[in-house]
Amino acid sequence: MSPNSSKKNLNKHTYDKDEYFIARALNLAKKGQGLTSPNPAVGAVVVKNGIIVGEGFHEKAGQPHAEVIALNNAGKDAEGGTIYVTLEPCSHFGKTPPCVHKIKESGIKRVVSAIKDPNPLVSGKGLEYLLNNGIEVKDGVLSKEANRINEIFFKYITTGMPFITVKEAVTLDGNLGYKTDTEKVYISSPKSLEYTHYIRFINDAVMISAKTLIKDDPSLDVRINKSDMKEKFLKKRWTKIVLDSYLNTPPNSKIFKSHGDVLIFASNDYDEAKVKRKKQLEEKGAIIADVYYNIKEGKKLLNLEYVFKKCGELKITGILAEAGPELFSSLIKEKFCDKLIFNVTPYILGRKNGLDLFGLINFEFNEKINFSDLTVKKIKDDVFLSYYPEFA
């Protein structure tokens, strides 16, 4: 038995044991969020006679999967037991062998899975293999919770496009800050900022506009006051994306001094001065991707569909967009938003001095976008509201 095993016998309790152990596996999976891309975050728990004999989670792409770690921790105690896993075990050879083979070899008699793997290489084949080898299978336990943990992976593996989270810090009257700020003014509390950086961490990239970059000169890194998180971030693949049609990004920007790649999307029309700016930015290490632009409401705007397709090709699976009013308007109106997070702060700035987040969204009469599946996180007087859009 693993030295980290729980010796608490759970057979005497009346709650759903399958849900209990899947919930534990889901908590383990969360430890891998932000570190496993382009793989899913997965947790596994091995149980025998109501006692946990092994557990583990997938820590990084290319390293052992959760099931293998849990079974190795369990050793011989796995024989005749049940393995609880947050995602259908894989049945294909990738950087590691199929987990279903390890499960069969270990003598596991029952597999409980939270959700099927939508990866076309798996997609039910793992459970089918287990059934064909005499192993009892149960699927769909806490599937909604499991889907949320891997929403980034599920979108990417089924569409090739990144999961886009749009996050905004707003006052009670919908302002991002003051119109005339000459330097960055935080309306969020320090604890809320730290939580925002955690949201960054579980994504592969953060996206802003050139206007925001020039105004605020952000580092676009992840700053969480835990030494282990800092260390994990510095080992993580990280991309700072700037939408900059005219390549006005200053070469001395802080983004060139912080961890991660700098990816700048620019319009594909060049004059001599812009060619010179491109060379300067490439010398600083920037990756420049040229994009066709769309003319909307009299403005030249980068083709966001191409932008996100290119990100998908680069295996950027999840993007956190921290948008100003113009980019926010484009993302919402063009339906490039899989999740919307508002950090609502306890201030009112008014229309005269406030920078209105919603001012560029002009709907027709009776036009609206519905949002659902609200989750709420309270941090002192700040509130985080997370929604999923229901685009028509």
Side-chain angles (χ1 to χ4, degrees), residues 163-197:
F163 186 95
I164 304 160
T165 301
V166 180
K167 183 266 170 186
E168 306 290 347
V170 294
T171 59
L172 292 170
D173 54 345
N175 288 307
L176 294 172
Y178 292 106
K179 287 178 183 175
T180 56
D181 281 349
T182 55
E183 59 183 46
K184 179 67 176 175
V185 175
Y186 291 108
I187 58 174
S188 301
S189 70
K191 286 292 184 182
S192 290
L193 286 171
E194 186 165 315
Y195 182 64
T196 293
H197 280 245

Side-chain angles (χ1 to χ4, degrees), residues 27-204:
N27 283 333
L28 288 168
K30 290 176 183 177
K31 294 182 178 182
Q33 281 185 300
L35 299 169
T36 62
S37 179
N39 288 356
V42 181
V45 177
V46 181
V47 177
K48 188 172 182 179
N49 299 324
I51 299 173
I52 294 173
V53 294
E55 57 186 18
F57 66 95
H58 184 41
E59 297 181 16
K60 190 176 181 180
Q63 293 187 7
H65 288 190
E67 300 95 316
V68 173
I69 295 171
L71 289 167
N72 285 342
N73 286 338
K76 292 182 180 179
D77 288 332
E79 186 173 356
T82 298
I83 186 167
Y84 293 86
V85 62
T86 59
L87 186 68
E88 174 186 6
C90 66
S91 55
H92 65 289
F93 282 90
K95 291 183 178 179
T96 58
C99 290
V100 290
H101 293 180
K102 178 72 173 179
I103 291 171
K104 178 188 173 184
E105 292 165 4
S106 70
I108 285 286
K109 295 299 181 185
R110 184 171 181 258
V111 174
V112 179
S113 167
I115 195 169
K116 286 188 174 67
D117 188 342
N119 185 343
L121 295 173
V122 186
S123 193
K125 299 182 185 72
L127 299 180
E128 183 181 2
Y129 175 92
L130 296 169
L131 284 169
N132 290 341
N133 282 274
I135 298 171
E136 181 186 343
V137 168
K138 182 177 179 180
D139 180 50
V141 179
L142 299 184
S143 59
K144 181 178 179 180
E145 292 84 347
N147 180 70
R148 289 291 180 250
I149 286 176
N150 275 312
E151 58 192 5
I152 291 174
F153 170 76
F154 289 168
K155 165 85 180 288
Y156 175 74
I157 203 66
T158 56
T159 68
M161 297 281 276
F163 186 95
I164 304 160
T165 301
V166 180
K167 183 266 170 186
E168 306 290 347
V170 294
T171 59
L172 292 170
D173 54 345
N175 288 307
L176 294 172
Y178 292 106
K179 287 178 183 175
T180 56
D181 281 349
T182 55
E183 59 183 46
K184 179 67 176 175
V185 175
Y186 291 108
I187 58 174
S188 301
S189 70
K191 286 292 184 182
S192 290
L193 286 171
E194 186 165 315
Y195 182 64
T196 293
H197 280 245
Y198 170 74
I199 299 171
R200 281 187 186 179
F201 181 83
I202 64 177
N203 283 273
D204 293 341

Side-chain angles (χ1 to χ4, degrees), residues 332-351:
I332 296 299
K333 289 193 288 189
E334 296 183 43
K335 303 178 182 179
F336 290 111
C337 173
D338 297 295
K339 186 176 185 177
L340 179 61
I341 301 177
F342 286 126
N343 170 198
V344 182
T345 63
Y347 307 105
I348 293 176
L349 302 184
R351 289 289 172 251

